[in-house]
């Protein structure tokens, strides 16, 4: 079903698990293939500590800022580097093709927080829980 939508060049937005399913594999379900519409894998966020030495909790639940890559994404029109969005996840994207990465954030590791390839758009974060910034992202998608 998703591949039919993508093949028709209809814009598609995957959110959180919707991003993860677009890629080839995930450590969350070893041996189970993803859709493979984009190249990359989903990895578990490793344990880590903050600068003040307190442990960082997994799952990562909360607000983190976005840093945009050089890719000019219509999804992030009117959104700025450093704007905050809301995450709830234990796994993160490691895209094989850096050109597919539209935004990153840091939480223990550098997380590919958004991907875009042709008519496929995906976010690891939840725009629907991200206040005005998230509503702007969803509006941008609707206007594609």
């Amino acid at each position: 079903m998703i591949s039919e939508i993508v093949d028709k060049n209809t814009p598609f937005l995957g959110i959180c698990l919707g991003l993860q399913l677009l890629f080839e594999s995930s450590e969350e379900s070893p041996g189970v293939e993803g859709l493979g519409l984009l190249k990359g894998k989903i990895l578990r966020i490793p344990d880590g500590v903050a600068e003040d030495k307190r442990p960082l909790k997994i799952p990562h639940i909360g607000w983190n800022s976005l840093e945009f890559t050089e890719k000019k994404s219509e999804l992030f029109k009117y959104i700025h580097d450093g704007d905050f969005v809301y995450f709830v996840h234990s796994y993160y994207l490691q895209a094989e093709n850096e050109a597919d990465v539209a935004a990153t954030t840091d939480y223990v590791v550098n997380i590919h927080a958004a991907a875009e390839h042709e008519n496929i758009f995906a976010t690891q974060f939840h725009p629907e829980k991200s206040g005005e910034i998230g509503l702007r992202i969803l509006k941008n998608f609707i206007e594609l």
Side-chain angles (χ1 to χ4, degrees), residues 40-101:
K41 54 190 170 187
I42 307 303
L43 304 173
R44 187 177 193 295
I45 299 172
D47 293 330
V49 294
E51 289 178 16
D52 63 4
K53 306 294 184 212
R54 66 182 166 78
L56 292 171
K57 295 182 180 186
I58 310 297
H60 168 212
I61 300 174
W63 297 88
N64 270 74
S65 61
L66 294 176
E67 296 299 323
F68 297 107
T69 63
E70 292 181 16
K71 181 182 215 61
K72 295 293 180 203
S73 173
E74 289 297 307
L75 196 62
F76 297 114
K77 187 169 51 174
Y78 310 117
I79 310 298
H80 303 89
D81 270 342
D83 281 347
F84 282 80
V85 292
Y86 194 78
F87 288 84
V88 180
H89 64 126
S90 298
Y91 293 83
Y92 71 98
L93 167 63
Q94 183 178 62
E96 185 174 307
N97 186 352
E98 290 285 331
D100 291 341
V101 179

Side-chain angles (χ1 to χ4, degrees), residues 4 12-13 16 34 56 58 76 82 91 97 112 114 116-117 123 125 134 136 138 141:
E4 292 172 13
F12 177 84
L13 176 61
C16 195
L56 292 171
I58 310 297
F76 297 114
Y91 293 83
N97 186 352
H112 294 165
E116 180 179 332
H117 181 84
T123 65
F125 60 89
R136 179 76 243 182
L138 293 173
F141 177 74

Side-chain angles (χ1 to χ4, degrees), residues 96-116:
E96 185 174 307
N97 186 352
E98 290 285 331
D100 291 341
V101 179
T104 64
T105 195
D106 286 307
Y107 190 81
V108 183
V109 295
N110 183 261
I111 291 171
H112 294 165
E116 180 179 332

